[in-house]
Amino acid sequence: MPTTLQEEMGFLRVESKLARTLSGIADAVAVISDILRGQGVEESHSKNTFGDQQLNIDVESDEVVFNHLRACGMVKSASSEEQTECQDLGGQGYSVAFDPLDGSSIVGANFAVGSIFGIWPGDELIGRRGSEQAAAVYAVYGPRTVLVVAWPHQGEDPSGQVQEYLLTQHQTGGSQWLLQRGSISIKDKAVFAPANLRATAENEEYQQLVQYWMSNKYTLRYSGGMVPDVHHILTKGGGVFANPVSKSASAKLRLLYEAAPLALIVEAAGGLAECATGSILDVTIASTDIRTMVSLGSKSEVIRSRPALKWQ
């Protein structure tokens, strides 16, 4: 019989405050899943801190996460891509950065979208590195709703522990998260997801990289949503998501809310996650708006991507 998220955290001896934080995130994701399946999508006539147009589901998902993080009692401060100023949530133990609905620009087309969460010990997010995260989480809202959780250096695994859970209905009527895959790992696989392809017009190294993948008959899997594209890599056991830049096609992925948490998950599964200077996990988060290029996934393909990431 599949085990639940709560049972698995007990088996892994996850620290109690971290377990309660993860439970709060999982509960929030279950609510967001219901929102996406039960509401229409429309503009909210408001913009987030970065000036991006918000949808009604962006605003509501953001509120859901803040409420659940506050209720768990273990989160001192939190910041989201919709409200970047750190909010004091009154708890003690951890700080959380999150993107409540990554890929909302494609949700109107009924494509899969996701949520991303990074969890740091202590009261601060700014000035930290991705390598300091206690755990990272993403959710995928598609035909099924799944939750992927990563704990770095958990147990005897030197890389970390990455697990996938499926949202199901309990026989009593409530929802529960059941373990689907207990130890996800990334190996070499000829699959590529090339984001920011406009950069190939000026970034010759990226153009040559894409041509290499195509001429060597790699499988193309790119949806326009970072979370489902990264999830495909973990589901298939390998591949690469690449997002180099150029002069007119600059970096858009935010380090705090997107790149750092997903990098922790990928590296905990045995892959690599790099930017121009090396591991994304080694980059200091100097502000909430730090943006980065990225290549993450199978080690061999990330290494192959390095020249495209170093474009000047």
Side-chain angles (χ1 to χ4, degrees):
M1 182 176 179
T3 54
T4 66
L5 174 60
Q6 298 293 337
E7 290 169 340
E8 280 295 315
M9 288 193 291
F11 296 152
L12 292 171
R13 297 181 180 179
V14 176
E15 187 265 334
S16 61
K17 289 184 178 181
L18 179 57
R20 287 179 61 178
T21 302
L22 289 166
S23 294
I25 288 172
D27 291 344
V29 167
V31 174
I32 293 172
S33 181
D34 287 340
I35 291 171
L36 291 174
R37 298 185 190 283
Q39 289 193 14
V41 179
E42 58 186 27
E43 290 188 356
S44 66
H45 306 294
S46 64
K47 295 183 178 181
N48 64 19
T49 307
F50 299 118
D52 302 324
Q53 179 65 51
Q54 291 178 306
L55 301 176
N56 59 322
I57 51 177
D58 289 318
V59 176
E60 191 163 352
S61 298
D62 194 55
E63 182 179 358
V64 166
V65 176
F66 272 116
N67 287 343
H68 279 79
L69 292 178
R70 184 179 293 107
C72 82
M74 298 297 122
V75 178
K76 172 59 178 177
S77 63
S79 171
S80 81
E81 196 170 46
E82 304 302 323
Q83 300 181 65
T84 60
E85 185 174 350
C86 282
Q87 297 191 25
D88 187 338
L89 301 187
Q92 291 185 345
Y94 292 92
S95 295
V96 178
F98 64 95
D99 184 349
L101 198 60
D102 185 71
S104 58
S105 63
I106 59 175
V107 73
N110 206 27
F111 286 13
V113 294
S115 299
I116 307 171
F117 307 85
I119 305 170
W120 279 262
D123 299 345
E124 301 292 338
L125 293 168
I126 303 306
R128 310 295 291 274
R129 295 183 179 184
S131 59
E132 298 175 49
Q133 291 173 95
V137 180
Y138 70 72
V140 183
Y141 311 102
R144 305 176 304 153
T145 297
V146 298
L147 192 75
V148 173
V149 185
W151 296 277
H153 309 298
Q154 193 72 34
E156 297 180 356
D157 190 333
S159 298
Q161 183 79 25
V162 182
Q163 298 182 328
E164 179 189 89
Y165 295 85
L166 174 67
L167 181 63
T168 64
Q169 291 300 120
H170 193 273
Q171 59 185 5
T172 61
S175 61
Q176 63 179 354
W177 293 98
L178 295 182
L179 181 68
Q180 297 295 291
R181 291 187 291 160
S183 186
I184 298 172
S185 63
I186 294 175
K187 307 297 183 182
D188 288 340
K189 196 125 184 174
V191 178
F192 73 114
N196 201 23
L197 275 174
R198 286 174 293 185
T200 60
E202 298 169 320
N203 185 335
E204 185 176 346
E205 297 287 356
Y206 189 23
Q207 185 181 87
Q208 292 176 359
L209 179 63
V210 173
Q211 186 59 47
Y212 173 87
W213 288 329
M214 294 173 63
S215 62
N216 283 275
K217 300 181 180 180
Y218 280 48
T219 300
L220 172 65
R221 289 290 183 267
Y222 179 68
S223 71
M226 188 177 184
V227 174
D229 289 342
V230 171
H231 187 61
H232 185 269
I233 293 171
L234 271 73
T235 298
K236 297 299 182 180
V240 62
F241 175 93
N243 193 331
V245 302
S246 70
K247 182 177 180 180
S248 62
S250 59
K252 294 184 178 180
L253 298 175
R254 293 185 173 94
L255 177 63
L256 177 60
Y257 306 109
E258 297 164 309
L262 292 179
L264 183 88
I265 293 170
V266 168
E267 294 211 359
L272 287 179
E274 295 189 353
C275 59
T277 59
S279 174
I280 290 170
L281 296 178
D282 291 335
V283 180
T284 299
I285 302 167
S287 76
T288 59
D289 196 28
I290 294 293
R291 307 183 191 208
T292 183
M293 63 190 78
V294 61
S295 178
L296 52 79
S298 299
K299 289 182 177 180
S300 61
E301 297 306 326
V302 173
I303 292 171
R304 196 187 313 279
S305 303
R306 285 173 178 170
L309 296 177
K310 295 182 183 298
W311 180 90
Q312 295 294 330

